[in-house]
Amino acid sequence: MPLLFIGIDPNTGDKQSPTVWVDRKNQEFVFQGWKPSVELEAECAATEIPGHAQGIPDHEAVIRVPARMVHMIREACDAIERV
């Protein structure tokens, strides 16, 4: 089952394309976003969360998605609930 395209940042240009998809087969959200600054990634890695190891595992990544895409994220939530 192919990814379900939800939307792309309406302010996208040639070099920016934060995007939202739904992976219906695996019941997952897929986000393409901007890489964080070194400072933001370090802050995320240093944040202590109860019951969670500190740091960012090699198989995970921090991304940034603009808040103006919130309606697309809501649409993705609705789409994944219909699967």
Side-chain angles (χ1 to χ4, degrees), residues 2-9 18-22 24 72 75:
L3 292 176
L4 174 63
F5 171 76
I6 300 296
I8 192 166
D9 180 3
T19 308
V20 178
W21 294 275
V22 169
R24 294 175 283 194
M72 293 175 206
E75 184 178 337

Side-chain angles (χ1 to χ4, degrees), residues 4-46:
L4 174 63
F5 171 76
I6 300 296
I8 192 166
D9 180 3
N11 292 358
T12 195
D14 290 340
K15 297 183 185 210
Q16 298 187 48
S17 55
T19 308
V20 178
W21 294 275
V22 169
D23 180 337
R24 294 175 283 194
K25 179 181 176 191
N26 294 310
Q27 294 272 297
E28 297 173 340
F29 301 107
V30 179
F31 297 102
Q32 177 179 330
W34 300 307
K35 293 180 180 180
S37 65
V38 172
E39 295 82 13
L40 178 59
E41 190 168 47
E43 183 178 350
C44 291

Side-chain angles (χ1 to χ4, degrees), residues 55-77:
I56 302 166
D58 288 339
H59 65 279
E60 295 181 5
V62 173
I63 64 162
R64 295 170 41 242
V65 177
R68 64 181 164 264
M69 295 178 68
V70 71
H71 68 282
M72 293 175 206
I73 296 168
R74 285 188 184 120
E75 184 178 337
C77 291

